Amino acid sequence: NKGEKNEKRGFAFCFFLLFTLMSGCDLIKDAADIEFTILYSHVYTVDTDLTTFPYDIDLNTNSDYQTYKGNIRDIEIEYLRYSITSNTGDGGKADFYANSFGGSFATATKVAETISFAAGELRGATDVVWLNKDFIETLLTSGKLSVWAVAEGANVHLTIPVEIKVKVTANPFE
């Protein structure tokens, strides 16, 4: 029967077409990804064995983030960069900690390599070598987090400007 053969061919063609369209949808959807970066800058004044006030990062203050908030696919920390622009004390160490927005320092987690410095040492823009990106990115899924800088050592007095670069991937079809 010619009609049955045409019907089977038509069914096979429709099945192939449906399969092709469905597998191609992810490619089309991925092509619609929108990436943008957000740069956060803060200057910490760090003194001997004292915790700084937290710097609160809120992605909601960015207009692109607000536009695509319901369609975020990925949030990635590209870097944490610091400088030492003033060092009027002795040598010592400094660390960065993070916690959920509004969380306390007591439950914060160290998120970057320790910065060691000599008395009077200044330093230009430097990327931290180790950064706990997974932890920070997990905190940022809520859109907000708090970051502290802490010094260790006798007579430490530092000014540390910090930049945190965040890359956001959104997709209007998510």
Side-chain angles (χ1 to χ4, degrees):
N1 269 270
K2 239 181 173 179
E4 281 183 28
K5 284 184 181 181
N6 283 338
E7 194 174 295
K8 286 181 183 178
R9 283 185 194 152
F11 177 74
F13 177 74
C14 286
F15 180 76
F16 175 75
L17 184 63
L18 182 62
F19 176 77
T20 303
L21 287 174
M22 287 178 61
S23 62
C25 284
D26 283 340
L27 294 174
I28 293 168
K29 190 168 144 180
D30 289 346
D33 280 356
I34 298 164
E35 291 183 353
F36 54 95
T37 58
I38 308 170
L39 187 63
Y40 292 95
S41 299
H42 182 70
V43 178
Y44 289 101
T45 301
V46 184
D47 290 312
T48 302
D49 298 325
L50 293 176
T51 304
T52 59
F53 289 104
Y55 173 57
D56 295 325
I57 292 176
D58 184 354
L59 298 178
N60 294 293
T61 60
N62 180 275
S63 61
D64 288 331
Y65 183 82
Q66 288 178 347
T67 300
Y68 298 107
K69 186 176 180 176
N71 305 101
I72 302 298
R73 287 185 113 178
D74 188 45
I75 297 173
E76 179 183 336
I77 300 297
E78 296 214 334
Y79 63 74
L80 185 152
R81 184 173 290 155
Y82 72 95
S83 320
I84 300 174
T85 57
S86 175
N87 180 351
T88 60
D90 295 337
K93 298 177 181 179
D95 289 300
F96 295 102
Y97 288 80
N99 202 351
S100 56
F101 181 78
S104 71
F105 177 74
T107 59
T109 298
K110 182 178 171 181
V111 293
E113 72 176 307
T114 297
I115 302 167
S116 296
F117 50 88
E121 178 185 357
L122 301 179
R123 194 171 298 166
T126 306
D127 287 0
V128 294
V129 175
W130 172 79
L131 183 62
N132 190 343
K133 290 182 177 185
D134 290 341
F135 180 73
I136 297 170
E137 290 164 1
T138 298
L139 291 176
L140 279 177
T141 58
S142 72
K144 299 179 182 183
L145 74 107
S146 297
V147 181
W148 291 263
V150 181
E152 179 184 320
N155 194 32
V156 172
H157 304 287
L158 299 173
T159 302
I160 305 177
V162 173
E163 288 182 353
I164 299 173
K165 186 176 182 182
V166 179
K167 181 173 86 173
V168 180
T169 304
N171 190 301
F173 299 113
E174 283 290 306

